[in-house]
Amino acid sequence: TAAIAVKTAREFNVLLTANPKPQTVHYLTGAPFVQLNQSETEHAAALAGIEVVHREGEPFPDEIGEQLRKMLELENLVVTKGSKGLTIFSDNDKKEHVAPHLVEVYDVAGAGDTVISALTLALSCGATPREAGIIANRAAACVVRKVGVATVTSAEIINEWESQV
């Protein structure tokens, strides 16, 4: 089960990341890294009994992410916000916003999977959560420019940086 995976990862100091559905995020209590998009975060928070006050058209209220992270005792909760970037809520009550990397979007299918994959790879290579978030944003920018569920290569991510210089 997820709880055993979290316990084992902690015991052996192994990086554990997850991109769960809102209904199952509570199984990952104590996990090092959980990633949800903002609507999933709101849904998970509501399921956890956290009062969610968010009006359509207004910015995502960061208090929801902070409360959910604390309630689930997560080391880090990454909330992706589409064209608004992402925010990393950490267990030291630190909140870091990673600005979006704006591109023309053709299809968002697979963007969340790309974010958690790139985030995991970057963290496993020694990146800080912020650095990993920046890399994940760039990887997702490459994917959403493609039609359908797509993959991204390291060369595409590097080219994304070079094209911005």
Side-chain angles (χ1 to χ4, degrees):
T1 69
I4 293 170
V6 171
K7 181 181 177 203
T8 303
R10 285 194 173 287
E11 184 177 333
F12 291 99
N13 198 29
V14 173
L15 174 65
L16 174 73
T17 62
N19 181 16
K21 297 294 180 198
Q23 308 87 293
T24 61
V25 71
H26 67 278
Y27 293 123
L28 293 161
T29 295
F33 270 88
V34 170
Q35 179 229 319
L36 300 166
N37 67 36
Q38 67 183 28
S39 65
E40 291 169 334
T41 302
E42 291 176 7
H43 186 195
L47 289 172
I50 296 170
E51 185 178 349
V52 176
V53 179
H54 182 213
R55 291 172 184 79
E56 194 65 36
E58 290 184 8
F60 174 78
D62 284 344
E63 302 79 44
I64 295 170
E66 291 169 356
Q67 289 178 32
L68 184 62
R69 190 210 56 76
K70 285 179 182 175
M71 178 177 274
L72 296 176
E73 302 171 11
L74 303 172
E75 286 181 36
N76 298 277
L77 172 63
V78 179
V79 178
T80 58
K81 301 175 180 180
S83 65
K84 304 278 190 266
L86 60 85
T87 302
I88 305 165
F89 301 94
S90 299
D91 64 359
N92 56 5
D93 290 328
K94 187 175 181 183
K95 174 178 69 173
E96 292 191 86
H97 181 70
V98 176
H101 181 66
L102 299 175
V103 296
E104 189 169 352
V105 176
Y106 291 98
D107 194 338
V108 297
D113 294 330
T114 299
V115 169
I116 193 65
S117 298
L119 190 78
T120 303
L121 182 59
L123 290 167
S124 68
C125 291
T128 66
R130 179 170 180 73
E131 291 166 340
I134 292 167
I135 292 167
N137 253 356
R138 295 291 174 126
C142 293
V143 166
V144 298
R145 283 203 210 127
K146 300 176 182 184
V147 176
V149 176
T151 60
V152 61
T153 66
S154 56
E156 288 174 302
I157 297 170
I158 291 167
N159 286 337
E160 194 60 38
W161 255 286
E162 291 174 350
S163 69
Q164 298 298 310
V165 176

